[in-house]
Amino acid sequence: MPARPQRRGAARRLATGVAVLAAAAGVLTAVSPAGADTGAAASDKHRPGRTVDVQLLSFNDLHGNLEPPQGSSGTVTETQPDGTTKTIPAGGAEYLATSLRNARKGHEYSVTAAGGDMIGASPLLSGLFHDEPTVEALNKLDLDVTSVGNHEFDEGRAELSRIQNGGCHPKEGCYEKGKTFPGADFPYLAANVTDEKTGKPILKPYTVWKHKGVKIGFIGVTLEGTPDIVTAEGVKGLKFHDEVETINKYAKELQREGVKSIVALIHEGGLPASPSYNYDCDNGGAGKGVSGPIVDIAKNITPKVDALVTGHTHQAYTCTVPDPSGTPRTVTSAASFGRLYTDTTLTYDRRTGDIVRTSVKGAHAANHVVDREQPKAPDMTSLIGRWNKLAAPIANKPVGYISADVNGRGSTAYETPLGDTIADAQLEALSPADKGGAQLAFMNPGGIRSDLAYKASGSEGDGVVTYGEAFTVQPFTNMMNVIDLTGSQLITALQQQVSGANEASPKILQVSKGLTYTLDLTKSGKDRIVTDSVKLNGEAIDPAKTYRVALNEFIAGGGDGFPAFKDGKNKLVGASDLDAFTAYLGAHSSQSSPLDPPKADRITIVK
């Protein structure tokens, strides 16, 4: 594949840049790659002019959050020198732009990359317009390259192609008079996503960034399990391949083309042992403080790859994980929603064309907070204002009232007040006999994208929930289903929260009122569900009895690791999840009598 020429404006960008608050998340040492110079030739390795430092700025999982995220979704945790923690408001494109631009100052060699999920599951400001505002913002941010993530497939292959190449929406047309959506002026990379019929990648598998003789190849992949977490329609006709095999294949191809310095952009991630963005996950040894899928991936990717930019888990970490040769290699993730960015220094050897990975001159990586104390970028303020004006008639309509924060996405608890509220809304919408006769409802936690914050996000007033805020919580507009499940199938579904695909990282379904059970975390696998504790309205679930269960179409189709739901019978399709949610808020709250957050005590947790 031919090298991608440097984008117009890159030279200008390389002279501009971003200052940011933050503590380093740890210094990552790095070592010599396979084939690096040894012996006498190594003695001149660090002579002046022999090497140049390339700045790699990266972020991931933006999800169209152009405005600062609400509630706890818009904060990061910072550990202080005395061991206490501090919560810092963070995120928003106006601040991300300032941060990145200040960071680039003084760095002649600077490249900006992303780890996927730039769009999809977006707040209304972007989602209402099929994420055109976010792509426009990323163009202005001078993003050089990103991998695809699973959410880039939410609206299917054709829409992803439009996002890359431009053109107005096939059904809704152009949103602004006289303007055609130009598409992304950075490449989306999808090395491990191929057409089922042709076997060819649906987008570029890699690209090469060049500046004054320096060449760095970028390979982009999404997680192989994307079809398990995206609607069937979104991945129709596509095949998703193993991340490691794909990256190793294209690393060889890049080296054959003479590109020795390689960065992998991987939309799959890890789980650090601490939620603090400045936690040192190399404490106790390289990569000892991080777990999850990315660890095995990192250990098996060829040493030809010099750094890994990751995502998907929405966590913050800058770690070193040994490559197959035992050499530590940087593995980074900048949380989500534009709250952090990662600044990594790659030392490029002009003679070998490779990144020098040695303990003497290693790669340094740190996460930095996109704080809201810095000045806003005027071009982002203008962009947000322009799209907000178009969205305002829909976005600003009040749909309910709350007495306090109703935590959802930002909560670390298995059961959340917002999760219970959504499940109750779905049960109420689908319990009438002519609407499906639902007796209970389940909501997948990953479908809850934000909190409901009491503090006003605009001029609506504290405690007012606008349509835009409700949309941000449930942006997928999944249709609701009601299905028959036997008591036995229902128990199996609960067990699938903590076993099978979800054993290592449980996905605890949010449950409607009346359904109670005990989750015993001292046990393993499906035994964590105490089966005789599962009750509906105080009565034990009868394995032979049939129950009517409400759930969104995504998990009804087995998504998120719940194949038991695919066996449901007598399916009835109801209103959308968002309609059920807004109707519930309207019916159960008013200005004089706002909705109180539920206690979230339906699941008893044993630790």
Side-chain angles (χ1 to χ4, degrees):
M1 174 163 296
R4 168 178 160 259
Q6 187 67 22
R7 257 192 305 126
R8 281 197 309 272
R12 168 188 53 76
R13 175 177 65 66
L14 288 164
T16 63
V18 144
V20 176
L21 228 163
V27 174
L28 306 179
T29 58
V31 284
S32 58
D37 294 276
T38 56
S43 63
D44 68 345
K45 196 171 283 284
H46 301 302
R47 285 179 183 170
R50 169 73 185 268
T51 62
V52 294
D53 284 344
V54 177
Q55 179 189 57
L56 171 62
L57 300 177
S58 57
F59 57 97
N60 51 277
D61 296 274
L62 181 64
H63 291 288
N65 278 268
L66 299 179
E67 295 177 297
Q70 277 205 295
S72 55
S73 296
T75 63
V76 294
T77 301
E78 180 180 81
T79 298
Q80 304 301 296
D82 64 0
T84 60
T85 58
K86 176 183 177 183
T87 299
I88 304 172
E94 293 160 301
Y95 305 107
L96 180 60
T98 299
S99 289
L100 293 175
R101 289 165 183 166
N102 285 340
R104 290 173 187 142
K105 288 178 180 174
H107 293 274
E108 184 179 4
Y109 298 86
S110 183
V111 57
T112 304
D117 276 6
M118 294 295 97
I119 61 173
S122 304
L124 186 125
L125 174 62
S126 187
L128 188 63
F129 306 106
H130 297 276
D131 282 310
E132 290 182 18
T134 296
V135 176
E136 181 184 346
L138 292 170
N139 287 345
K140 289 179 182 293
L141 282 175
D142 284 318
L143 180 63
D144 286 293
V145 58
T146 183
S147 67
V148 292
N150 52 289
H151 282 284
E152 264 82 18
F153 294 92
D154 283 348
E155 295 187 45
R157 174 185 182 173
E159 176 62 5
L160 176 55
S161 179
R162 185 183 77 90
I163 289 294
Q164 176 70 85
N165 300 316
C168 296
H169 193 269
K171 290 182 180 176
E172 297 175 23
C174 300
Y175 295 112
E176 295 180 287
K177 191 174 180 181
K179 287 187 180 179
T180 299
F181 174 58
D185 66 9
F186 50 90
Y188 260 111
L189 305 181
N192 67 330
V193 187
T194 59
D195 183 290
E196 275 185 351
K197 292 179 180 176
T198 67
K200 294 180 179 178
I202 63 164
L203 293 169
K204 283 184 176 182
Y206 61 81
T207 192
V208 179
W209 176 86
K210 297 178 181 179
H211 184 67
K212 293 189 175 179
V214 172
K215 294 189 295 185
I216 298 178
F218 288 86
I219 304 167
V221 299
T222 186
L223 69 154
E224 185 181 8
T226 291
D228 300 327
I229 52 174
V230 173
T231 58
E233 195 61 31
V235 295
K236 190 175 181 181
L238 303 178
K239 188 168 176 58
F240 291 76
H241 302 269
D242 181 83
E243 304 94 335
V244 173
E245 290 175 8
T246 303
I247 291 169
N248 289 351
K249 169 187 170 182
Y250 286 111
K252 283 182 183 176
E253 190 168 315
L254 277 165
Q255 292 226 324
R256 282 198 300 270
E257 292 185 8
V259 179
K260 302 288 182 63
S261 299
I262 302 171
V263 175
L265 309 175
I266 309 170
H267 191 71
E268 178 61 290
L271 302 166
S274 165
S276 293
Y277 82 90
N278 58 335
Y279 165 68
D280 177 8
C281 68
D282 287 338
N283 189 17
K288 293 293 185 185
V290 67
S291 60
I294 198 60
V295 178
D296 280 343
I297 290 172
K299 285 178 178 176
N300 287 287
I301 288 174
T302 173
K304 292 181 176 70
V305 174
D306 300 295
L308 313 184
V309 172
T310 73
H312 188 54
T313 55
H314 291 203
Q315 302 297 309
Y317 48 86
T318 56
C319 303
T320 57
V321 177
D323 68 19
S325 72
T327 299
R329 174 170 54 194
T330 60
V331 179
T332 66
S333 173
S336 61
F337 305 157
R339 294 173 291 158
L340 300 173
Y341 75 89
T342 311
D343 190 335
T344 303
T345 301
L346 301 172
T347 301
Y348 184 91
D349 188 322
R350 285 189 176 278
R351 191 171 75 77
T352 65
D354 208 346
I355 300 300
V356 179
R357 290 205 278 149
T358 71
S359 57
V360 179
K361 184 77 172 174
H364 299 262
N367 276 325
H368 300 275
V369 181
V370 178
D371 71 277
R372 301 182 201 160
E373 299 299 318
Q374 60 190 317
K376 297 179 178 181
D379 58 339
M380 292 298 165
T381 303
S382 174
L383 182 153
I384 289 167
R386 208 178 82 239
W387 287 102
N388 261 332
K389 190 174 180 182
L390 288 173
I394 297 171
N396 296 339
K397 180 184 174 186
V399 295
Y401 302 86
I402 53 176
S403 62
D405 288 353
V406 187
N407 290 328
R409 185 72 181 193
S411 172
T412 56
Y414 281 130
E415 181 186 359
T416 68
L418 187 51
D420 285 359
T421 303
I422 291 169
D424 287 349
Q426 295 175 352
L427 176 61
E428 184 166 298
L430 298 160
S431 60
D434 62 337
K435 303 292 185 186
Q439 296 166 273
L440 66 149
F442 288 123
M443 175 63 194
N444 57 312
I448 303 168
R449 305 306 299 186
S450 184
D451 302 335
L452 282 182
Y454 177 78
K455 184 175 173 58
S457 59
S459 59
E460 75 274 12
D462 290 348
V464 179
V465 180
T466 65
Y467 182 82
E469 290 165 345
F471 182 98
T472 298
V473 169
Q474 291 204 278
F476 300 110
T477 319
N478 278 315
M479 302 310 292
M480 291 303 301
N481 289 181
V482 186
I483 57 174
D484 282 351
L485 286 180
T486 65
S488 178
Q489 289 171 320
L490 200 153
I491 297 291
T492 298
L494 290 174
Q495 291 172 335
Q496 287 170 352
Q497 301 176 109
V498 290
S499 63
N502 294 326
E503 181 160 5
S505 182
K507 287 191 175 74
I508 305 303
L509 297 165
Q510 308 298 284
V511 297
S512 57
K513 60 185 176 183
L515 184 67
T516 57
Y517 70 94
T518 297
L519 178 66
D520 187 347
L521 297 176
T522 67
K523 297 181 179 176
S524 61
K526 65 182 184 180
D527 291 338
R528 294 171 183 167
I529 305 298
V530 181
T531 53
D532 58 7
S533 73
V534 185
K535 296 179 180 179
L536 182 61
N537 301 321
E539 289 187 13
I541 294 293
D542 182 344
K545 189 176 174 182
T546 297
Y547 298 86
R548 293 290 282 166
V549 179
L551 65 182
N552 63 50
E553 60 185 333
F554 170 60
I555 49 172
D560 268 354
F562 291 98
F565 291 138
K566 292 168 71 176
D567 297 327
K569 308 291 184 189
N570 300 321
K571 181 170 76 174
L572 181 142
V573 179
S576 75
D577 52 6
L578 180 60
D579 286 346
F581 184 44
T582 56
Y584 183 85
L585 291 172
H588 291 270
S589 69
S590 65
Q591 206 156 8
S592 59
S593 181
L595 180 76
D596 294 325
K599 293 179 180 178
D601 57 0
R602 297 164 190 180
I603 305 172
T604 301
I605 310 288
V606 177
K607 293 184 179 180

